[in-house]
Amino acid sequence: MPEEETLTAEQIQAHYDAALDSVTLINELVALDSLDDEQTATVARNVEHLQIMVAKDYWTSDQPLAPLNAAITAGQA
């Protein structure tokens, strides 16, 4: 079995901040009228990143996952 990740509050927040960067990028790209192949691939990579991140079990109430889930949904649309 893999070891459970034990992170400091600062490390958890850094992961959350990185996830929010993906949220911002996804939201900016899906707001465009059309996407080229590179932009579509960027959205897909960032959606995959967020799916991995929301599955982590170290989040606290300080890191609401709703924006991450909303960006996943938007990116998959």
Side-chain angles (χ1 to χ4, degrees):
M1 284 183 88
E3 278 186 45
E4 283 188 34
E5 292 184 74
T6 305
L7 302 174
T8 66
E10 292 78 16
Q11 289 170 317
I12 292 170
Q13 189 60 46
H15 284 298
Y16 187 73
D17 292 343
L20 289 180
D21 290 341
S22 287
V23 168
T24 300
L25 186 57
I26 290 168
N27 289 339
E28 287 174 353
L29 289 173
V30 299
L32 299 175
D33 290 334
S34 63
L35 301 179
D36 63 27
D37 290 344
E38 185 177 335
Q39 291 166 322
T40 300
T42 298
V43 170
R45 278 192 311 275
N46 282 274
V47 165
E48 184 178 354
H49 172 240
L50 291 180
Q51 289 171 324
I52 291 166
M53 295 312 293
V54 297
K56 300 292 185 184
D57 61 4
Y58 49 61
W59 302 118
T60 69
S61 59
D62 293 334
Q63 296 91 22
L65 299 182
L68 282 60
N69 288 314
I72 290 169
T73 300
Q76 291 175 328

